[in-house]
Amino acid sequence: MPVRRGLLALLAEEPRHGYQLKSEFERRTGRVWPLNVGQVYTTLDRLERDGLVRPVRSTNGDRNQRTFAITQDGRKEVDAWLSASGSQAAPPRDELFVKVLLAAIGDRKAALRLIAAQRSALLSQLQGRRRAQQAASDDLAAELVHDALAVRIEADLRWLDHCEARLRPKR
Amino acid sequence: MPVRRGLLALLAEEPRHGYQLKSEFERRTGRVWPLNVGQVYTTLDRLERDGLVRPVRSTNGDRNQRTFAITQDGRKEVDAWLSASGSQAAPPRDELFVKVLLAAIGDRKAALRLIAAQRSALLSQLQGRRRAQQAASDDLAAELVHDALAVRIEADLRWLDHCEARLRPKR
DNA sequence: CGACACATGTAACACGTTACATGATTTG
DNA sequence: CAAATCATGTAACGTGTTACATGTGTCG
């Protein structure tokens, strides 16, 4: 529930209203994670239902803004989330993993073909990524996001190499 | 929708019934992805609704097994999925990324603290991972899964290093 | 004025997840 | 026989996603 918690983390900084949350969230995620505003409002409703945020009178004249502030419970949640380990040994519920694994334990030849195809796809993605990265060299958020993606693609490539080596007949 | 597609991929190999799908899926994912059987049946219903699978008479006496086979449309879907690029430039909708990014663009000091904490958590995860990996050295699936997780953790660590370097004041 | 950003919301849906209920078959 | 495995299903929920509707304020 990265959206829900992300919004809560933003509210831990200061009270905000829905539209602000959307803008801020998108700004900080380098504009690669467009958020439908509607989702923000429903998420806010759920957070309020769970007692993690509460509506407050907007300080400067409530035109038609519903401003929300985090509660104590909410702050506890955020702290717990932030100090929790990244994915805490959570297995990779990931498309690439499922694809390769299901094939690998089934038909080895098909698996090797699949791995080759995925590798070339990832390589071309990586190149496109590098170009986009240079273009956005003035935006810290975008830069970090692009780098995260690049690093992850490289990891996937390494994993594919390992799988291939492990599946090769000669052994 | 990795489960849905995973099950469909298994049916692309040969017709199976629900319980078989569950067992096979878990076996091939190294038993790190326990699947509630109920989910398999609801997923099968949705696949049937979408015309990607169809029920068939189980060849050897239908005791009370509902066997499903993949349809032509289903096969098309699987092929498209398997040949699609891993995450096709999809931005990382990931807990760690959200955590670090939201903090990084906000409070740099807090972000640096967060990064340090996450790094040590990931490092200890990595060590536990290595131990578990040796234990399961006879199970190909488990081995590949564990390796995937290790590689991914290393990638996250590298990304954290990069973020830290980028956020450090002296520059 | 018209377009665009700001601002709020509703409705519907897809997936994944868990809990729960039920029965047949095998095996110690 | 009792317990475990095999086998099928229902109900309910949470989150994320999209589409759609509505209205205000601002700026060229």
Side-chain angles (χ1 to χ4, degrees):
Chain A
M1 49 220 330
V3 170
R4 173 188 164 108
R5 277 162 172 160
L7 296 182
L8 193 60
L10 287 178
L11 287 179
E13 293 180 358
E14 59 176 4
R16 287 184 166 96
H17 59 266
Y19 199 84
Q20 267 175 16
L21 284 170
K22 172 207 154 75
S23 316
E24 194 59 23
F25 186 93
E26 287 181 338
R27 188 177 76 87
R28 299 203 190 184
T29 50
R31 268 156 253 95
V32 298
W33 193 333
L35 216 56
N36 185 304
V37 208
Q39 186 180 355
V40 175
Y41 294 107
T42 58
T43 303
L44 278 173
D45 290 340
R46 304 202 254 241
L47 286 171
E48 187 184 358
R49 175 201 60 188
D50 298 340
L52 305 183
V53 305
R54 68 165 196 282
V56 294
R57 296 179 304 262
S58 46
T59 51
N60 49 340
D62 24 288
R63 315 236 281 285
N64 46 351
Q65 294 165 316
R66 287 201 316 148
T67 303
F68 287 90
I70 197 167
T71 63
Q72 282 205 332
D73 282 4
R75 207 168 284 278
K76 261 195 282 182
E77 264 256 333
V78 171
D79 290 346
W81 182 53
L82 290 183
S83 59
S85 52
S87 48
Q88 66 217 0
R93 278 154 161 65
D94 190 276
E95 300 263 340
L96 180 64
F97 292 157
V98 177
K99 277 188 217 183
V100 174
L101 277 174
L102 292 190
I105 315 299
D107 182 346
R108 295 204 172 199
K109 269 201 170 170
L112 287 171
R113 272 196 308 270
L114 176 66
I115 288 173
Q118 290 291 321
R119 172 163 33 227
S120 78
L122 286 177
L123 278 171
S124 76
Q125 268 182 242
L126 194 57
Q127 287 183 330
R129 193 49 51 189
R130 291 205 207 288
R131 253 167 310 184
Q133 205 160 354
Q134 289 183 326
S137 59
D138 57 331
D139 182 344
L140 176 58
E143 195 185 328
L144 294 182
V145 168
H146 287 315
D147 201 68
L149 232 170
V151 165
R152 178 143 296 192
I153 293 177
E154 286 164 4
D156 287 348
L157 283 170
R158 260 191 295 274
W159 183 62
L160 288 181
D161 289 344
H162 178 265
C163 290
E164 198 178 36
R166 195 69 184 62
L167 288 178
R168 275 248 141 71
K170 40 213 80 184
R171 204 177 176 255
Chain B
M1 37 202 0
V3 170
R4 173 188 163 107
R5 276 161 174 162
L7 296 182
L8 194 60
L10 287 179
L11 287 179
E13 293 180 357
E14 59 177 3
R16 288 184 166 96
H17 59 265
Y19 198 84
Q20 267 175 16
L21 284 170
K22 172 207 155 76
S23 315
E24 194 59 22
F25 186 92
E26 288 180 339
R27 188 176 76 86
R28 299 202 190 185
T29 51
R31 270 158 251 93
V32 298
W33 194 333
L35 216 56
N36 185 303
V37 208
Q39 186 178 355
V40 175
Y41 293 107
T42 57
T43 303
L44 278 173
D45 289 340
R46 302 203 253 243
L47 286 172
E48 187 183 358
R49 175 201 59 188
D50 298 340
L52 305 182
V53 305
R54 68 164 196 282
V56 294
R57 295 179 304 263
S58 46
T59 50
N60 49 339
D62 24 288
R63 317 239 279 287
N64 46 353
Q65 295 165 315
R66 288 204 313 148
T67 302
F68 287 90
I70 197 167
T71 64
Q72 281 206 334
D73 282 4
R75 207 167 284 277
K76 260 195 282 179
E77 264 256 333
V78 171
D79 289 346
W81 182 51
L82 290 182
S83 59
S85 51
S87 47
Q88 65 217 0
R93 279 154 159 68
D94 190 277
E95 299 262 341
L96 181 64
F97 292 157
V98 177
K99 276 189 217 184
V100 174
L101 277 175
L102 292 189
I105 315 299
D107 181 345
R108 294 203 171 199
K109 270 201 169 169
L112 288 172
R113 272 198 308 269
L114 176 66
I115 288 173
Q118 291 290 322
R119 170 161 37 226
S120 77
L122 286 177
L123 277 171
S124 75
Q125 269 182 242
L126 194 56
Q127 286 182 330
R129 192 51 48 190
R130 290 204 208 288
R131 252 167 313 184
Q133 205 160 354
Q134 288 183 326
S137 59
D138 58 331
D139 182 344
L140 175 59
E143 196 186 327
L144 294 182
V145 169
H146 288 313
D147 200 67
L149 232 170
V151 165
R152 177 143 297 191
I153 293 178
E154 286 164 4
D156 287 347
L157 283 170
R158 259 191 294 275
W159 184 62
L160 287 181
D161 289 344
H162 179 265
C163 289
E164 197 178 37
R166 196 67 183 67
L167 287 176
R168 275 246 140 73
K170 37 215 79 183
R171 202 172 178 260

